[in-house]
Amino acid sequence: MFQLRSQVLFQSDFYQVKNWEYDFGDERKPTNGFNDCLCFVYVKKGSFLFDLAKDSYDIHSGYIVIDKPNYEYSLRPSAGDCSIFNFTNDFYRQLLEDLNLKYSFFFGNNNILSLLLKANPEIDYLHHQIMKRSIQGGKLEVDNLVIELLRSIIALITNSSAEAEINDSLRKYHLKTIEKAKEYIQEHFPKDISLCEISGYACVSPFHFSRVFKQLTSYTPHQYLQNVRLKHGEMMLKSGNLPIADISILSGFNTAEYFATAFRQKYKMSPTDYRSAVLK
């Protein structure tokens, strides 16, 4: 018996999130495959058994395996459920350069093709949020979660934080980056914009842009976008009687429910109550 249900949960400009539900039965022969990109496999249920070069892995839930690109692998009989994160080769090259990973023990060693890590509570949380938000979240929200997951995994691999403080010269250099990013967000906030769209407009790689933006503004790109959208919604609530469902869409939220939840978190009252209070 060989069963594999593969579903793409989210497709971004620089990564893809897939869900695998599999039962490879009891066949003696392994199933061969080829991985052509940087890949993370997070095991949610059951086990995941595979061979890569001379290494054999028997992974169960709570573990992550990181595979480098362009290597064949063999899946051995097992059954379970896992999430797969595939990153584009362009993004992988930028990541190695941005974080100077070419000389790290894993990324810089051609003899190590994959690495097994035990997930910590932060990684479990981020994975859970990605699974939830990939269904109904916006592009920038999911991009931000995936970048945070990537930071946490790299921190485990390198035993150091990916959040090194930006020096004064780089801060001055990237002032234009932040100005252009804010300009793009202000002009496009009602749309479902992605991290690559903003970083591309600012002429910076997505991972590096995310780090620079947070350090220079104290907000992640998604947090900044969310606050712009909420301010727009607040102004519209003050200015007339447009239905709240319409205001939520015009402010860039997918649903009125999501807008109401985010609005209540920031303003400590529902959009309906806020409108009633300011229009008295």
Side-chain angles (χ1 to χ4, degrees), residues 1-6 19-27 31 47-48 75-82:
M1 180 177 63
F2 179 91
Q3 294 181 352
L4 171 63
R5 182 174 178 267
S6 179
N19 187 73
W20 268 23
E21 294 179 16
Y22 51 89
D23 186 346
F24 298 143
D26 297 321
E27 290 91 347
T31 302
S47 60
F48 188 68
L75 299 175
R76 288 183 279 119
S78 57
D81 187 358
C82 64

Side-chain angles (χ1 to χ4, degrees), residues 92-108:
Y92 180 42
R93 285 191 290 269
Q94 291 171 348
L95 182 70
L96 294 178
E97 183 177 342
D98 289 343
L99 294 180
N100 196 27
L101 294 173
K102 293 180 181 179
Y103 304 104
S104 66
F105 91 95
F106 172 64
F107 293 103

